[in-house]
Amino acid sequence: MKKKVLATLLATAMTVGCLTGCGGGAAEQPAAEAPAAEAPAAEEPAAEAPAAEEEAPAVEAPATAEEGTDPVANLIAATTGTVTLKVWASEEDQDLTTKLLDDFKAAYSDVTFDITLGAESESTAKDTVLTDVEAAADVYAFADDQINDLVNAGALQEVVANYTFDVVNENATGAVEAAAVDGKVYAYPMTADNGYFMFYDSSVFSESDVQSLEKMIEVADAAGKKIAMDISNGWYIYAFFQGAGLELKLNDDGLTNTCTWNAAGGTDVAQAILDLTASNVLVDMSDEDMATQIAEGNVAACVNGTWRAETAAEAWGDNYAATKLPTFKAGGKDCQMSSYSGYKLVGVNPHSANVGWAMLLAEFLTNESAQTARFEARGLGPSNLNAAGSDAVQANPAIAALAEQAAYATPQRVGGNFWSPAETLGQILASGNPDGTDLQELLDTTVEGITAPVE
């Protein structure tokens, strides 16, 4: 019955012929390009680009309305009675979402709405939704690394149609890829700021210094300062191995991993980490310790995310700066450090009694205007290309650095067996490999753990 209701709604809104009868389906459209990273300074050797990953399936663009049709008008015309919707947003996003919901109801004042707003963290949305998918919110925000589980559980409606804007082409490529599974878009990108990059004190480092990690260590050592990075954390140590072109990816089963960190070149990366941390300038440090050490003036640069921006800005004042991650040397070659990118998405529950309106609301909560408002209210980086390209966003050092790093970033897609072995590897390397374990043996053990079957 629910499938029949959805088919009727979409047929009314978009015209069945447009979805299925015009040349065998919607034409694929290229995703918008992510912001390009700046080239390294001329005096520094050029870094090798990260090795290309296995090509992901092309993302299918949602269908667009036939010329002369208005999908929103069709949706309104097909609506009778009150449209009831339940929305979940994070505790921090309640005020802004309340305003956006009021704006949405005002924009479609000919329709009677009953919209309730609940609080649910993006980080825990999946667990709450999967407890009872049919009883979950019609529209909800979640972190992009949850998308596979949500799709597999039938908890996300595919974005089969655009109502008010082109979801694929108006958002950054990485955000669209993060919202897609097997080439099909299942969510609406909302933010693009959950990644990491390099914060630094520009009174200590010049713009050319921060292009190379080895150069940064040299400069920091002379200034009696430290550079902080949470090396014993799989999320961050990934930067070195991926930067050198070694693969880590989630398998098609959505549970296990493929990892080539122990392949040719892997020991060069491990030795590079040993060499860098042996300086006692690049220091393995947790996020909480970084906050303290930055405030106390001991750390002059760190690899971290937007949530640490205020700490750095307060400590370094006018000297607060941020940029993409630097290069590092592995086996005599300069490699550009990679990173994980993270996005917040808005999904629609396919069990909603008002799927068409839920999709339109999801668009409204993630359109250019909403993303701009979210940046202004909370400092969250937009995935929308126009919003991200605004002067205000580009003037924000942390958000601009994320955009610069985007060319070297990949969405986080790993199985649960990755984290513990990667953490152990990071701890061993950051502490100088105290047992003198052969590096190939160390990496073989790590990969065995990362790729182990899920019991």
Side-chain angles (χ1 to χ4, degrees):
M1 177 64 183
K2 283 172 182 150
K3 289 183 179 178
K4 184 177 180 181
V5 171
L6 174 59
T8 301
L9 279 171
L10 292 178
T12 304
M14 302 301 296
T15 306
V16 172
C18 174
L19 291 174
T20 60
C22 301
E28 294 186 2
Q29 299 179 22
E33 293 184 3
E38 294 180 6
E43 59 264 42
E44 297 293 334
E48 287 193 348
E53 293 191 57
E54 199 174 297
E55 188 174 342
V59 175
E60 297 179 8
T64 54
E66 289 185 337
E67 186 176 354
T69 66
D70 184 339
V72 176
N74 291 341
L75 181 60
I76 293 172
T79 299
T80 58
T82 298
V83 174
T84 301
L85 295 169
K86 179 164 58 176
V87 178
W88 286 345
S90 70
E91 189 69 44
E92 298 81 5
D93 221 29
Q94 292 288 298
D95 290 344
L96 177 61
T97 304
T98 297
K99 181 182 183 306
L100 292 174
L101 292 176
D102 288 340
D103 292 344
F104 179 77
K105 288 184 282 189
Y108 304 105
S109 57
D110 291 342
V111 178
T112 301
F113 293 100
D114 178 13
I115 304 178
T116 58
L117 174 62
E120 179 65 47
S121 170
E122 293 99 349
S123 64
T124 59
K126 179 195 74 172
D127 296 333
T128 304
V129 169
L130 297 189
T131 299
D132 187 344
V133 176
E134 293 193 23
D138 301 272
V139 179
Y140 58 91
F142 63 97
D144 73 276
D145 62 336
Q146 302 170 18
I147 192 168
N148 286 335
D149 288 341
L150 289 168
V151 170
N152 290 338
L156 285 175
Q157 167 62 43
E158 182 187 347
V159 182
V160 291
N162 291 315
Y163 283 88
T164 57
F165 68 94
D166 188 328
V167 174
V168 169
N169 285 325
E170 292 191 22
N171 285 286
T173 299
V176 174
E177 291 175 348
V181 175
D182 294 333
K184 296 180 179 180
V185 179
Y186 283 94
Y188 301 79
M190 181 173 73
T191 70
D193 58 5
N194 190 25
Y196 49 95
F197 46 93
M198 182 67 76
F199 289 108
Y200 68 97
D201 181 346
S202 63
S203 71
V204 177
F205 304 99
S206 69
E207 290 185 3
S208 61
D209 292 338
V210 297
Q211 299 297 322
S212 160
L213 189 51
E214 287 79 12
K215 180 64 175 178
M216 290 186 72
I217 289 173
E218 176 188 332
V219 171
D221 190 30
K225 302 289 186 179
K226 302 294 185 183
I227 302 168
M229 180 176 180
D230 194 356
I231 297 169
S232 53
N233 181 322
W235 205 52
Y236 293 99
I237 198 172
Y238 171 87
F240 292 103
F241 287 94
Q242 179 66 23
L246 296 166
E247 184 180 54
L248 170 68
K249 69 173 186 176
L250 183 68
N251 292 329
D252 291 340
D253 60 15
L255 298 171
T256 59
N257 303 303
T258 292
C259 182
T260 65
W261 288 9
N262 60 339
T267 56
D268 291 334
V269 176
Q271 186 61 54
I273 297 172
L274 286 170
D275 294 342
L276 291 165
T277 54
S279 66
N280 291 321
V281 175
L282 178 65
V283 181
D284 183 32
M285 193 177 294
S286 69
D287 176 63
E288 294 79 8
D289 288 341
M290 282 187 211
T292 300
Q293 295 298 315
I294 290 171
E296 292 180 354
N298 300 318
V299 167
C302 68
V303 175
N304 214 314
T306 54
W307 54 89
R308 197 49 63 202
E310 186 176 350
T311 303
E314 288 178 355
W316 300 330
D318 292 341
N319 295 315
Y320 160 64
T323 188
K324 71 171 182 67
L325 295 176
T327 64
F328 72 101
K329 289 188 180 296
K333 298 179 181 179
D334 286 296
C335 301
Q336 170 62 54
M337 292 178 75
S338 186
S339 65
Y340 273 130
S341 56
Y343 306 88
K344 291 176 183 176
L345 311 172
V346 171
V348 169
N349 191 331
H351 297 278
S352 172
N354 295 288
V355 172
W357 282 106
M359 291 173 68
L360 182 57
L361 177 57
E363 282 191 10
F364 193 89
L365 295 174
T366 59
N367 64 21
E368 178 184 346
S369 176
Q371 292 199 28
T372 298
R374 196 167 280 108
F375 168 75
E376 292 172 349
R378 300 186 54 208
L380 301 182
S383 62
N384 179 275
L385 292 172
N386 287 337
S390 70
D391 291 342
V393 172
Q394 289 301 307
N396 182 297
I399 301 300
L402 265 178
E404 191 179 0
Q405 180 63 27
Y408 309 102
T410 54
Q412 177 187 306
R413 295 290 184 271
V414 293
N417 282 342
F418 166 69
W419 300 104
S420 182
E423 177 181 342
T424 299
L425 175 64
Q427 290 171 342
I428 292 171
L429 295 178
S431 60
N433 192 17
D435 294 335
T437 305
D438 176 78
L439 293 183
Q440 186 63 57
E441 180 184 343
L442 177 61
L443 292 177
D444 288 343
T445 301
T446 299
V447 169
E448 182 180 357
I450 290 173
T451 59
V454 175
E455 298 179 357

